[in-house]
Amino acid sequence: MSIVEYIGSLSDVYGIADFSIEKEELIEMYGEDICKYPYAIAIGHKMIEEIIEKIPLTYTDDDLAKEYLDEYFNSFQRVSKIADKIIDYIQNEGFNAIKLDVSGTNPELNLKKPFSNKASANLSGIGWLGKNNLLTTKEFGPRLTWATVLTDAPLGEYAGRPIESLCGDCQMCVKACPGKAIVDLPNPKESYSPEKCGEFLMKRKESGHQVACGMCLYICPFGNKKSKELMGW
Ligand code: SF4
Ligand code: SF4
């Protein structure tokens, strides 16, 4: 089995980013070490559908909120293990590979700022940052967790290119966000307010509830069939 076949067998979605394509911009943003390995593999792993579908109930049911929070963290653990297997496979093929941790760093790299999973997935062309600032894919919307492997295995022929946002006129997450943390602007840096999102979560905590909110993840029509029908897509 080739390396990409192996990656595909373990991932729900994956993409390859070739750092040589935008090398200067990447080095300016992250520092020289970001190009120590020429390729990034973005590995997408689906969260459990049944749990995501219950998100609207989590605002009145703390057990369901806890179940969602647990799944959020467990899915990170699962995708991290998938990344470890992919690293082993690549190393057995005679190449080097390292994993970025959840904060987007690795002790081997001296980066100016973390290189996030969102960045690797976006550069590899498998998704875009939605108005909710979540990495959104055509197939599953934002209902995925991500891991990133950097490698020198020769994967250039499989590399993708960043894609434009497909949010268009959709305002589903804007209207559904209970914290009013999303506005209808195309640039996620302007549309999504981490402060307002944080304030909403803090209010949940202060009123004795689980610190959970995933409405923007749930509602996106790229992963939600009912929203998709409402959008007429
Ligand atoms: S997590 Fe909740 S409050 Fe924060 S942006 Fe998403 S829907 Fe809004
Ligand atoms: S809900 Fe609509 S606007 Fe929000 S991220 Fe998804 S497609 Fe974009």
Side-chain angles (χ1 to χ4, degrees):
M1 194 186 289
S2 71
I3 291 173
V4 284
E5 283 170 340
Y6 186 73
I7 298 167
S9 72
L10 297 184
S11 320
D12 290 307
V13 184
Y14 77 93
I16 313 285
D18 181 347
F19 287 165
S20 69
I21 295 174
E22 308 203 27
K23 193 171 181 180
E24 283 174 20
E25 291 91 330
L26 284 168
I27 287 177
E28 194 181 324
M29 217 180 297
Y30 298 98
E32 290 282 340
D33 272 11
I34 194 62
C35 291
K36 190 167 176 184
Y37 295 86
Y39 305 107
I41 306 165
I43 303 154
H45 173 68
K46 271 169 69 183
M47 285 186 260
I48 295 172
E49 187 77 11
E50 294 74 27
I51 295 176
I52 301 302
E53 284 297 320
K54 285 188 252 174
I55 283 175
L57 305 175
T58 60
Y59 302 91
T60 49
D61 186 327
D62 275 325
D63 289 338
L64 290 180
K66 172 82 168 53
E67 185 185 47
Y68 165 58
L69 271 185
D70 287 346
E71 170 54 11
Y72 190 78
F73 292 112
N74 290 340
S75 62
F76 273 116
Q77 301 296 326
R78 296 196 301 269
V79 75
S80 184
K81 284 183 186 156
I82 291 171
D84 289 339
K85 285 186 183 176
I86 289 171
I87 287 172
D88 284 346
Y89 197 89
I90 291 173
Q91 288 174 342
N92 284 335
E93 293 289 308
F95 303 102
N96 297 299
I98 60 168
K99 181 174 67 176
L100 293 183
D101 64 22
V102 71
S103 62
T105 55
N106 180 289
E108 209 187 286
L109 304 176
N110 181 17
L111 299 179
K112 284 190 200 170
K113 65 173 190 175
F115 184 75
S116 68
N117 290 319
K118 283 181 187 176
S120 67
N122 185 233
L123 276 177
S124 68
I126 49 176
W128 66 96
L129 288 182
K131 291 173 190 173
N132 52 17
N133 199 38
L134 296 175
L135 200 284
T136 307
T137 62
K138 272 191 203 171
E139 295 93 334
F140 307 116
R143 299 175 174 210
L144 298 146
T145 42
W146 298 91
T148 299
V149 168
L150 304 181
T151 183
D152 57 10
L155 300 176
E157 66 179 294
Y158 306 103
R161 301 283 294 138
I163 56 172
E164 294 292 315
S165 167
L166 296 180
C167 287
D169 293 336
C170 176
Q171 295 184 31
M172 286 273 181
C173 59
V174 176
K175 290 180 178 164
C177 170
K180 303 203 181 317
I182 310 170
V183 295
D184 186 18
L185 291 170
N187 181 348
K189 283 189 183 142
E190 296 171 359
S191 62
Y192 167 73
S193 163
E195 292 80 18
K196 286 189 179 169
C197 178
E199 278 167 25
F200 177 75
L201 291 174
M202 199 44 67
K203 276 186 202 152
R204 295 280 300 160
K205 188 179 179 189
E206 284 164 4
S207 55
H209 293 292
Q210 294 285 338
V211 187
C213 176
M215 187 53 81
C216 53
L217 184 143
Y218 164 80
I219 202 77
C220 181
F222 283 96
N224 182 320
K225 290 187 187 77
K226 281 172 264 162
S227 299
K228 200 170 187 173
E229 279 168 23
L230 281 172
M231 286 297 292
W233 288 357

